[in-house]
Amino acid sequence: MSSSSTGKRVGIVIGVIAVIGLAVLGWAAIRPGPLAFAGGKTVSLSEYSAGHPTGVPADFTDTDKLARGKYLTEAADCQACHTIEGGKPFAGGRPFSTQFGTMYSPNITADTETGIGSWSDADFLKAVHEGVGKGGLRLYPAFPYAAYTYLTDDDVLAIKGYLFSLPVVKNTPPQNALNFPFNQRWLMTFWAAMYDPNTRYQPHTDRSPQWNRGAYLAEALGHCGDCHTPRTPFQSLDNRHKFSGGASEGWRAYNLSSDKESGIGTWSQDDLVSYLKTGHSMDRGSAFGPMAEAVHLSFAKLTPSDVSAIAEYVRSVPPVDTPDLPAPKLEPASADPAQGVAMDQNTKGREFFAGVCSGCHGWTGANSLVSHSTLTGTRAVNDPTATNVALAVLRGSSALPPSGDIATMPAFGAAYSDADIAAVSNYVTARFGAKASTITADDVRKLRETN
């Protein structure tokens, strides 16, 4: 074969690869936005006369400027990411383990040396809307600026005003430890160009004012999709499968679409309102992990109208199936420990549950005295991977519900082996869930390694 023929074939192969690569890149770049499912006509906020989807709601009656900023900061759930366990609020340093390495949240108090005290309004707006920090530093999308870009300037600056009113904390978080090439911040220039629309929220004229308020809260402030929507290979949100489930700090963030089996399609408005406001809804289960933290630091602090608006919006998202999630089992287990799961199956898990868990959760899984400890209907217990069950046993849950229930679950990770935790997790899903799990000790070991 002549060298010219070989060269032509190599050129053809390279050309085909380039075309495929560009096609994949184009497919990812033109993915639908978070509100594409709603269709209909949108208008600018200045043209919308049916209500006020931005700012604070009508039932937030405090007129103080800082109170308004505090409310919006809580709605945006800023404290959760920018506070390390046991640390000063908003001083940063919380680690986030990813497949690309570990990132640490920055200090967003008004300290001029280690925080954002020297940032102007323009600096802050550019960071929140475009992912560009002071001096042109490109921010990683772990900071959800692709969602915050929909916030109005007034709301962003109200948040800044509140942050600047808080006690100044001098704290320098650790340096990020990201693998090459992900440690090259300049690459975020291209990511932002493809995935950050850099536009403010536009109301949908064929939807109700409450729906639009819910959309603004869920998509812009609450950035729900960052946890509950899967990601493309380029780490943008795959809104073709909107709200069908994602991940957050090792935990599974479950399906929020209206799918009746794997999502929340059978939940009523009251079910979802209760879950958001208190972290629990009867027959729907309790929140753990990052979701419990979001309830404690954000949703529980919102006004009734805002929680209702979020519920209306979320329940309007079309159904998307998550194939590995069965419909939750809603019937309590037998009060007889010998019934429901064969005595000779998973003896270790049964003994662990009897000695450590049954006092709060009961053998039926339904606790009429402390509702947050009810397991019946809980999505995590009906997840055949048992990921969140194992993490709950490992880490516990320290977020107290607003209802006053004593619902703190201690962490058992230090006291029990990976094999013990795998055994009790499998026992719990088999006794109280729709399908038994087969999580292994090695799986639990890997979960321990996530932050």
Side-chain angles (χ1 to χ4, degrees), residues 242-280:
K242 183 176 178 62
F243 283 1
S244 64
S248 177
E249 299 177 75
W251 299 77
R252 284 193 77 170
Y254 291 114
N255 191 324
L256 293 183
S257 81
S258 55
D259 185 70
K260 291 186 176 181
E261 292 214 354
S262 58
I264 61 170
T266 62
W267 290 38
S268 68
Q269 175 83 359
D270 289 344
D271 288 337
L272 189 50
V273 166
S274 176
Y275 192 88
L276 292 173
K277 196 68 178 174
T278 70
H280 175 78

Side-chain angles (χ1 to χ4, degrees), residues 162-417:
Y162 173 68
L163 293 175
F164 273 55
S165 75
L166 297 173
V168 172
V169 181
K170 188 176 294 295
N171 179 53
T172 303
Q175 291 291 317
N176 292 335
L178 296 175
N179 304 321
F180 181 84
F182 308 105
N183 59 354
Q184 304 297 303
R185 285 183 179 267
W186 61 270
L187 291 173
M188 297 304 101
T189 303
F190 302 104
W191 191 94
M194 289 192 294
Y195 303 122
D196 179 12
N198 190 19
T199 188
R200 310 298 84 84
Y201 180 73
Q202 294 186 322
H204 287 245
T205 57
D206 59 340
R207 300 280 183 160
S208 70
Q210 178 164 301
W211 184 95
N212 276 286
R213 175 63 180 174
Y216 186 73
L217 287 162
E219 299 296 349
L221 282 162
H223 53 280
C224 302
D226 276 72
C227 290
H228 290 278
T229 296
R231 294 184 180 272
T232 70
F234 296 95
Q235 295 305 297
S236 65
L237 297 185
D238 183 4
N239 287 307
R240 296 180 180 88
H241 300 92
K242 183 176 178 62
F243 283 1
S244 64
S248 177
E249 299 177 75
W251 299 77
R252 284 193 77 170
Y254 291 114
N255 191 324
L256 293 183
S257 81
S258 55
D259 185 70
K260 291 186 176 181
E261 292 214 354
S262 58
I264 61 170
T266 62
W267 290 38
S268 68
Q269 175 83 359
D270 289 344
D271 288 337
L272 189 50
V273 166
S274 176
Y275 192 88
L276 292 173
K277 196 68 178 174
T278 70
H280 175 78
S281 182
M282 289 305 296
D283 296 328
R284 305 302 181 187
S286 299
F288 275 91
M291 188 62 200
E293 192 173 36
V295 170
H296 184 61
L297 295 175
S298 182
F299 295 120
K301 299 178 184 294
L302 302 184
T303 66
S305 74
D306 269 359
V307 177
S308 182
I310 293 172
E312 178 177 323
Y313 171 75
V314 170
R315 293 178 67 235
S316 75
V317 174
V320 183
D321 176 47
T322 303
D324 70 327
L325 293 178
K329 176 184 174 183
L330 301 181
E331 303 80 22
S334 171
D336 181 356
Q339 301 297 317
V341 177
M343 291 289 286
D344 59 346
Q345 292 180 358
N346 194 358
T347 302
K348 178 184 284 190
R350 180 183 179 280
E351 291 175 350
F352 187 124
F353 187 85
V356 178
C357 312
S358 61
C360 289
H361 298 293
W363 289 102
T364 67
N367 190 326
S368 60
L369 298 178
V370 183
S371 60
H372 280 69
S373 67
T374 293
L375 299 176
T376 304
T378 298
R379 170 55 73 188
V381 174
N382 291 273
D383 173 4
T385 72
T387 298
N388 287 10
V389 172
L391 282 169
V393 178
L394 280 169
R395 302 179 186 177
S397 177
S398 59
L400 289 172
S403 64
D405 284 353
I406 302 173
T408 300
M409 177 173 169
F412 297 103
Y416 293 92
S417 70

Side-chain angles (χ1 to χ4, degrees), residues 346 348-349 352 386 390 393 417-429 437-444:
N346 194 358
K348 178 184 284 190
F352 187 124
V393 178
S417 70
D418 296 339
D420 290 332
I421 291 170
V424 75
S425 299
N426 289 330
Y427 181 81
V428 165
T429 60
S437 60
T438 56
I439 193 170
T440 66
D442 190 54
D443 294 329
V444 174

Side-chain angles (χ1 to χ4, degrees), residues 96-117:
F96 293 90
S97 296
T98 73
Q99 59 186 305
F100 312 112
T102 302
M103 290 182 281
Y104 296 88
S105 61
N107 181 347
I108 57 170
T109 71
D111 182 61
T112 55
E113 294 180 19
T114 65
I116 59 172

Side-chain angles (χ1 to χ4, degrees), residues 69-78 162 294 297-299 301-302:
K70 180 176 185 288
Y71 184 87
L72 292 169
T73 303
E74 290 169 345
D77 203 17
C78 303
Y162 173 68
L297 295 175
S298 182
F299 295 120
K301 299 178 184 294
L302 302 184

Side-chain angles (χ1 to χ4, degrees), residues 61-74:
T61 56
D62 196 326
T63 58
D64 179 73
K65 185 177 181 180
L66 288 179
R68 176 177 178 272
K70 180 176 185 288
Y71 184 87
L72 292 169
T73 303
E74 290 169 345

